[in-house]
Structure formats: C-alpha cells, structure tokens
Amino acid sequence: MWSLIAALSYPQRIIGKEGKLPWHLPLELRLFRQQTWGGILVVGRRTLETLPLPLPGRDVWVLSHSLAPQGDYYRVFPNPESLLQALSDVPKPVFFAGGASLYAWALQLPQLQKMFLTWVFLSVEGDTFFPFFAEHEWSLQRWELFTDKGIPFIRAEYERNSR
Ligand SMILES: NC(=O)c1ccc[n+]([C@@H]2O[C@H](COP(=O)([O-])OP(=O)(O)OC[C@H]3O[C@@H](n4cnc5c(N)ncnc54)[C@H](OP(=O)(O)O)[C@@H]3O)[C@@H](O)[C@H]2O)c1
C-alpha cells in the first residue's frame, strides 16, 4: 500500500519554515512514528536533512540529483523513474513523507491510494505549503482529535475514490 503522510496548518496548509517543521508536537511525532513503523519513508533531499538519522524501524529512500548514490542510513534515487522501479516490488508499506515537491509529485501517482493528513489548528508563519489537490478525488474515511501542549490537531485518513 502506498500512502502520503503530512502535517499541515489549518487552513493555510503550511508544512515548513526555514527548512524545519513550524511547530514542535511530540505527540504528533509519536503518532507519525507508529503509523510509519516497518515501512519505507520516501522523502526529498531537503526533508532528509531534517531527519534524525538513523531512523529506527523505517527505511529511508531519498529523491535527489545532488546526493551520492548511497548514504549510511538511506538510499538515494536520482530521478522518479528509478525510484518507481525500485518501489514496484517492495513488500513493505510505502509512505511519501515530504516535503512539498515530493508531495506534489506523489499526488499524481495512480498507485497512491491513501493520505494521512494531520490538520494542525495553529496560526503559524511558514514558507512551504502542502500542494492543492483534487479534493473530489478523495474521501474522508475517519478522523480523530488530539491536543498536544494545548494545540489541537486532527488526524484524518483519506482514500482515493475509485475511478
Ligand atoms: N509538515 C510536514 O508533514 C512536513 C513533512 C516533510 C517536510 N516538511 C517540511 O518541508 C520543507 C522541505 O520541503 P521542500 O519542498 O522544500 O523540499 P523536499 O521536497 O524535502 O526536497 C526537495 C529536494 O528533493 C529532490 N527532488 C525533488 N524532486 C526530485 C526529482 N523529481 N528528481 C530528483 N530529485 C528530486 C531535490 O534534491 P536535490 O536538490 O538534491 O536534487 C530537491 O531539491 C521543510 O521545511 C520540511 O521541514 C514538512
């Protein structure tokens, strides 16, 4: 199963600020870890730079023109074609985990059937936004409200409608 996972501010859809997350929500990070455990995280190179490596319980695959082919704790793919080829026969769940450029690319993949979006109810400044997507192509399956350090957030699970 291929999924996308992101946390974005509501309603501005901000996901990043100066190369980092615009908030620190330990509970949200724990839920992210739980959700993605045992899977492959696919990220862009700028997001890789934010990850505390090695990342326990997950494989990290990176799209990048500039990185050397193999890092100590991650695999590098120089283009989407080589990444898709490698993903086509992995038995593990796959999570497209950002940033904005990677989300925009992943959203147009027909294999992407699920999204886990955390809507964070916080007014923040930022420079990186979750891309607009065709909302009519997706159905909300379930959602749950949490609060972390007084900040409410909703974890929402969407499935792509059958065509
Ligand atoms: N809130 C969230 O859930 C969340 C999740 C993840 C990230 N973020 C935030 O998002 C921001 C980073 O996002 P971003 O959009 O600036 O960067 P990004 O998507 O993480 O990384 C962009 C880089 O990925 C590589 N790349 C992307 N498409 C490629 C392609 N088709 N072929 C080869 N390489 C490709 C390129 O690396 P090279 O330059 O090496 O070629 C590109 O510069 C940060 O602030 C981060 O904290 C937020």
Side-chain angles (χ1 to χ4, degrees):
M1 168 71 83
W2 292 12
S3 315
L4 177 156
I5 187 160
L8 54 161
S9 73
Y10 184 87
Q12 295 89 351
R13 314 162 78 92
I14 290 170
I15 63 164
K17 183 183 179 190
E18 293 163 5
K20 302 193 185 115
L21 293 177
W23 44 71
H24 180 58
L25 298 173
L27 172 60
E28 210 282 318
L29 292 176
R30 277 206 301 282
L31 294 167
F32 174 86
R33 179 182 158 109
Q34 241 171 44
Q35 185 78 59
T36 57
W37 195 263
I40 297 174
L41 291 187
V42 180
V43 295
R45 192 257 311 154
R46 285 194 213 122
T47 296
L48 175 81
E49 289 168 0
T50 71
L51 297 177
L53 295 172
L55 211 59
R58 274 82 34 104
D59 298 338
V60 177
W61 291 13
V62 190
L63 252 186
S64 168
H65 302 104
S66 64
L67 287 174
Q70 180 69 54
D72 284 344
Y73 304 116
Y74 52 83
R75 254 179 99 173
V76 179
F77 297 86
N79 52 56
E81 294 72 30
S82 57
L83 172 64
L84 286 175
Q85 176 69 39
L87 284 174
S88 66
D89 53 20
V90 289
K92 296 183 176 185
V94 173
F95 297 93
F96 295 96
S101 70
L102 197 104
Y103 289 141
W105 170 71
L107 276 162
Q108 50 79 43
L109 296 174
Q111 299 96 320
L112 183 78
Q113 290 296 320
K114 236 181 209 304
M115 288 200 286
F116 298 99
L117 298 187
T118 294
W119 292 97
V120 181
F121 292 85
L122 183 66
S123 176
V124 284
E125 304 217 326
D127 49 31
T128 316
F129 292 77
F130 193 79
F132 285 99
F133 58 96
E135 295 193 17
H136 64 275
E137 288 181 8
W138 295 86
S139 299
L140 180 61
Q141 298 297 304
R142 54 189 68 83
W143 59 270
E144 200 174 347
L145 174 66
F146 297 86
T147 304
D148 197 357
K149 298 196 300 187
I151 300 167
F153 62 87
I154 283 177
R155 295 199 88 226
E157 185 179 327
Y158 301 79
E159 257 175 39
R160 200 190 279 276
N161 300 327
S162 44
R163 298 178 185 217

